[in-house]
Amino acid sequence: MLRTARNLGLGLILGISAAQAETVTIAALGDSLTQGYGLVQEDGFVPQLEAWLRARGADVTVINAGVSGDTTAGGLSRVAWTLTPEVDAMVVALGGNDLLRGIDPATSRANLDGILQAGDEAGVDMLLVGMEAPLNYGADFKDQFDGMYGELAEAYSIPLYPTFFDGLLAEGDINAARAAYMQADGIHPNADGVARIVEAMGPAILALIE
């Protein structure tokens, strides 16, 4: 009887330990910034993020669900099959291509809303990554575009990371940062730029999975 109790207790302890050690799977849903455009695979956002998290003791797998050129509409069209049963959390980083195409912020907002609703229904933890519009489209466009991220994060009670490029904006001199950390197109970060972006965003993702 005593042996049975011991075995049962050991089994429970081992079971709890196994559950605690279970790998957390994060889906990074985004565009070329997430996909790693112009970089060798290991220098892209997802591999660098995964390495950063693991270096800090997190047992994680980060799925690269970034598609170059994707808009919020593209993200909405594929979020359902991105959220496979093993996915525990999702980082949503979309909107840059909506900006480049001058898509109505109301349309972008509706698409992001649909993505977050899908994540909410799937029961995954989420982090929404913002993007800031330039003034080229006017102050009203910028207010609507920039503001939609905070509004949606509040509506779904999820954390908001202010902007994908926050790690580069912290440099102060944006022109110097662009010269040092962006590829020749001025849109996509180089490997060092990605490292700075990951260093800045990493704690928010670590907090999400903890």
Side-chain angles (χ1 to χ4, degrees):
M1 190 71 164
L2 183 58
R3 182 184 299 171
T4 302
R6 282 179 182 156
N7 289 342
L8 178 59
L10 181 60
L12 287 171
I13 291 169
L14 290 175
I16 292 170
S17 298
Q20 290 174 337
E22 187 176 351
T23 301
V24 174
T25 300
I26 306 170
L29 183 71
D31 49 33
S32 56
L33 297 174
T34 302
Q35 182 263 335
Y37 176 88
L39 301 171
V40 296
Q41 183 176 352
E42 60 268 26
D43 287 340
F45 173 74
V46 168
Q48 288 208 47
L49 174 62
E50 185 177 84
W52 189 95
L53 293 169
R54 288 181 175 178
R56 284 147 186 83
D59 183 7
V60 299
T61 295
V62 185
I63 298 173
N64 193 338
V67 174
S68 187
D70 224 359
T71 60
T72 56
L76 178 59
S77 71
R78 58 192 177 83
V79 67
W81 55 262
T82 297
L83 291 171
T84 52
E86 72 270 15
V87 172
D88 303 298
M90 178 169 64
V91 176
V92 180
L94 285 161
N97 288 306
D98 294 52
L99 272 180
L100 292 175
R101 300 181 189 189
I103 293 172
D104 184 346
T107 300
S108 302
R109 190 188 193 285
N111 292 331
L112 286 172
D113 190 14
I115 291 169
L116 298 178
Q117 183 178 347
D120 189 57
E121 290 173 354
V124 301
D125 293 319
M126 294 182 287
L127 174 69
L128 181 59
V129 179
M131 186 69 64
E132 294 182 358
L135 281 168
N136 304 40
Y137 300 111
D140 187 53
F141 183 103
K142 179 174 174 59
D143 287 344
Q144 290 183 57
F145 186 90
D146 294 1
M148 69 183 177
Y149 292 100
E151 293 167 1
L152 288 168
E154 183 177 357
Y156 284 92
S157 300
I158 61 173
L160 171 68
Y161 187 77
T163 173
F164 188 89
F165 293 107
D166 202 44
L168 302 186
L169 296 174
E171 289 291 306
D173 185 345
I174 189 60
N175 290 322
R178 184 178 290 112
Y181 302 117
M182 299 295 279
Q183 297 179 42
D185 61 9
I187 297 174
H188 300 93
N190 58 28
D192 290 337
V194 172
R196 287 180 173 263
I197 289 167
V198 166
E199 186 71 30
M201 193 187 303
I205 298 174
L206 198 58
L208 181 72
I209 62 176
E210 287 179 344

